Amino acid sequence: MGSFDVPLDEERTQLEAFIEEYRGALEATLDGLTEEQARRRLVPSATTLLGLLKHVTWMQRVWFEECVGGTSRRELGLVQSPDESFRLADDDTIASVTAAHREACATARAKAADLPLDAVVTGHRAGPRTLRWVYLQVLRELAHHCGHADILREQILVG
């Protein structure tokens, strides 16, 4: 179900539809690409298409497993900073990073499922916030990085 399918639904349904749409859109930027293309650096930073998906996987784990779930990054085995989360390991592939992203999304859905949007979650090191705020932050990050991914994909396909 996409965002245009839920214009009159309740707020949570709308937020989740937008988040799911962007999760899928980011994964789709890797469709039909080779491993080399997915890893290709086209900008001075470490940003690559595969690195973007790895980063948003990390980002969702931070917000849903750390912030909502209350498990520290260290306990989760996550790198500490956003910059580190873009870095690809030699064994990262489109399939492995996509699988990790899907697993993180499933965990995120489960962590948030029984909580109301007004629930205050306290696991993030920057302090408490509501689940609604977490949803909006995740949506903002996904939309932001989908824009990056669209541009990188266009450069790969045209170049």
Side-chain angles (χ1 to χ4, degrees):
M1 178 178 336
S3 59
F4 279 91
D5 298 321
V6 296
L8 300 176
D9 288 36
E10 55 96 17
E11 180 184 21
R12 185 180 194 123
T13 301
Q14 292 177 350
L15 287 169
E16 290 174 351
F18 274 92
I19 288 171
E20 292 302 328
E21 199 167 79
Y22 280 110
R23 284 172 171 160
L26 196 54
E27 281 188 20
T29 63
L30 296 170
D31 288 351
L33 297 183
T34 66
E35 295 293 335
E36 183 278 325
Q37 288 171 317
R39 289 173 160 273
R40 191 177 296 167
R41 287 181 66 172
L42 300 167
V43 293
S45 72
T47 305
T48 63
L49 280 173
L50 194 59
L52 280 168
L53 189 60
K54 188 169 183 176
H55 167 72
V56 299
T57 300
W58 173 87
M59 175 272 297
Q60 291 181 85
R61 293 194 67 201
V62 165
W63 288 114
F64 289 103
E65 295 177 48
E66 180 183 40
C67 182
V68 175
T71 306
S72 73
R73 291 177 198 192
R74 191 165 318 293
E75 291 173 283
L76 293 168
L78 296 175
V79 297
Q80 295 299 305
S81 74
D83 287 345
E84 293 173 278
S85 71
F86 284 91
R87 293 189 191 129
L88 296 171
D90 290 342
D91 61 346
D92 283 332
T93 65
I94 293 170
S96 70
V97 174
T98 299
H101 180 250
R102 290 178 181 172
E103 183 179 329
C105 293
T107 300
R109 287 183 210 101
K111 294 283 183 193
D114 295 329
L115 297 174
L117 290 176
D118 291 331
V120 175
V121 295
T122 59
H124 196 268
R125 58 188 176 187
R129 57 216 55 234
T130 64
L131 179 62
R132 176 182 290 102
W133 189 97
V134 170
Y135 271 31
L136 291 169
Q137 171 63 16
V138 167
L139 179 58
R140 181 176 74 100
E141 285 255 358
L142 288 168
H144 182 77
H145 292 308
C146 275
H148 295 142
D150 286 343
I151 292 167
L152 291 176
R153 181 176 171 90
E154 181 180 336
Q155 287 180 315
I156 288 167
L157 295 178
V158 172

